[in-house]
């Protein structure tokens, strides 16, 4: 089953606007990470939030985690054309799945200048 | 420069011809893993390794083999490639013996099996 699922699948905004992407997951997790990918290239880590954290900031990024709803959101404030990319959430589980990292299908963000 | 390297970057091969995609990291990371990326499916984990000589299956291990004889290398082996293994493959590594840390990704290997 798909663990991390992002929504929306695609998001198109103007430069300067905020972009919000959501990620839902099914099983309990140890942590949740967000990654960015530019056009078929390797993924780049953005931020990691642990299961006992509710919110985390890094520059223009704000991530929230609601373990009761099994969901996370990534907010990019004051977006720039250079933020155009695909964004993925990834969940690390516990128990017998301890070594696994499961990625969602991603949100394609387009920021128009 | 800290990095994960993969070779080859592009490969076109025929069904049944064994191939190996190499992955190497120079950061002394314990955790390494392989993913495949297909349109609309995101990244799916093939195999992972939490340390030397320790490997385990991810979500889509069928048709693949791996080995971890040295800490820095984690090759992906396709013994008998089939067209459904045409995909973009990524190797990644992280500090610590689990995926609970920032993953460093290689540049990707685009494989086409005809």
């Amino acid at each position: 089953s798909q663990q991390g699922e992002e929504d929306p699948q695609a998001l198109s905004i103007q430069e300067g606007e905020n972009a919000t992407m959501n990620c839902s997951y099914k099983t309990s997790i140890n942590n949740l990470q967000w990654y960015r990918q530019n056009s078929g290239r390797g993924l780049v880590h953005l931020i990691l939030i642990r299961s006992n954290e509710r919110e985390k900031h890094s520059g223009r990024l704000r991530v929230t985690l609601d373990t009761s709803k099994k969901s996370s959101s990534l907010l990019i404030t004051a977006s720039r054309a250079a933020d155009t990319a695909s964004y993925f959430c990834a969940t690390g589980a516990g128990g017998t799945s301890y070594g696994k990292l499961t990625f969602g299908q991603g949100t394609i963000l387009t920021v128009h200048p | 420069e800290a990095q994960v390297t993969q070779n080859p970057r592009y490969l076109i091969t025929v069904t049944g011809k064994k191939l190996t995609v190499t992955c190497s990291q120079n950061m002394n990371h314990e955790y390494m893993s392989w993913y495949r990326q297909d349109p609309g499916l995101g990244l799916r984990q093939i195999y992972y390794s939490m340390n030397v000589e320790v490997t385990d299956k991810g979500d889509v291990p069928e048709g693949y083999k791996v080995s971890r004889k040295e800490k820095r290398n984690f090759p992906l082996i396709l013994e008998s490639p089939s067209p459904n293994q045409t995909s973009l493959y990524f190797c990644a590594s992280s500090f610590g013996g689990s995926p609970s840390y920032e993953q460093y990704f290689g540049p990707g290997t685009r494989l086409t099996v005809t």
Side-chain angles (χ1 to χ4, degrees), chain B residues 32-77:
Chain B
M32 297 185 75
S33 61
W34 276 102
Y35 301 87
R36 61 177 290 174
Q37 185 175 27
D38 303 289
L41 295 177
L43 277 82
R44 293 178 292 168
Q45 193 174 44
I46 303 171
Y47 270 95
Y48 62 91
S49 169
M50 292 194 280
N51 213 327
V52 175
E53 301 291 1
V54 180
T55 63
D56 212 340
K57 296 176 181 177
D59 292 320
V60 288
E62 295 78 20
Y64 304 94
K65 283 176 58 177
V66 293
S67 67
R68 186 91 182 274
K69 293 184 171 59
E70 308 164 279
K71 202 171 189 179
R72 63 183 294 129
N73 296 322
F74 191 44
L76 180 69
I77 303 156

Side-chain angles (χ1 to χ4, degrees), chain A residues 45-63:
Chain A
H45 182 264
L46 295 176
I47 199 164
L48 181 152
I49 186 165
R50 302 203 182 274
S51 58
N52 60 354
E53 298 176 306
R54 291 295 167 259
E55 188 170 311
K56 208 160 180 181
H57 297 255
S58 177
R60 293 184 297 114
L61 305 180
R62 172 179 169 250
V63 167

Side-chain angles (χ1 to χ4, degrees), chain A residues 14-113:
Chain A
Q14 295 295 127
E15 220 169 17
E17 294 180 340
N18 295 342
T20 299
M21 289 160 266
N22 302 298
C23 169
S24 61
Y25 56 91
K26 293 184 172 63
T27 62
S28 63
I29 60 171
N30 288 333
N31 64 82
L32 188 144
Q33 304 178 46
W34 284 92
Y35 288 83
R36 165 194 168 125
Q37 182 183 36
N38 285 88
S39 191
R41 304 182 72 169
L43 279 72
V44 175
H45 182 264
L46 295 176
I47 199 164
L48 181 152
I49 186 165
R50 302 203 182 274
S51 58
N52 60 354
E53 298 176 306
R54 291 295 167 259
E55 188 170 311
K56 208 160 180 181
H57 297 255
S58 177
R60 293 184 297 114
L61 305 180
R62 172 179 169 250
V63 167
T64 61
L65 178 64
D66 187 334
T67 53
S68 67
K69 295 181 179 177
K70 292 187 168 59
S71 68
S72 172
S73 67
L74 170 66
L75 168 67
I76 304 174
T77 59
S79 63
R80 305 165 181 166
D83 293 329
T84 294
S86 293
Y87 292 82
F88 295 89
C89 67
T91 52
T96 56
S97 298
Y98 178 65
K100 287 187 177 181
L101 188 64
T102 304
F103 283 80
Q105 297 174 353
T107 292
I108 300 170
L109 173 65
T110 303
V111 182
H112 300 281

